Amino acid sequence: MLCGWQIWEWPNVMIEAEFHAIWQSPEGDWVDITPKQDEEQTILFAHTPKRP
C-alpha cells in the first residue's frame, strides 16, 4: 500500500486533494483499486512516503 493524495481538478472552480491509498504490484506498477463514481480510468496521485 502506498499512501498519498488523490488530486481532482474542476477547471475554473477548484482543486481538491483527498488522502488516498493505492496498491503497488510486485512489478512496481501503481494501481488504484478503488471504484470511481464517474468511472475515471486515470487519477493524479501524489505519493507521500513519510505519511503513515
Side-chain angles (χ1 to χ4, degrees):
M1 179 174 72
L2 299 174
C3 295
W5 298 94
Q6 175 175 252
I7 301 170
W8 300 100
E9 178 186 11
W10 296 356
N12 301 315
V13 177
M14 71 177 203
I15 296 176
E16 177 181 40
E18 169 182 38
F19 195 66
H20 192 63
I22 61 171
W23 176 67
Q24 184 173 14
S25 75
E27 294 79 24
D29 297 324
W30 291 9
V31 182
D32 183 9
I33 61 172
T34 306
K36 301 294 180 238
Q37 183 174 0
D38 295 326
E39 299 182 27
E40 290 90 348
Q41 298 298 311
T42 304
I43 66 165
L44 177 58
F45 179 76
H47 181 217
T48 310
K50 293 185 180 183
R51 174 95 190 226

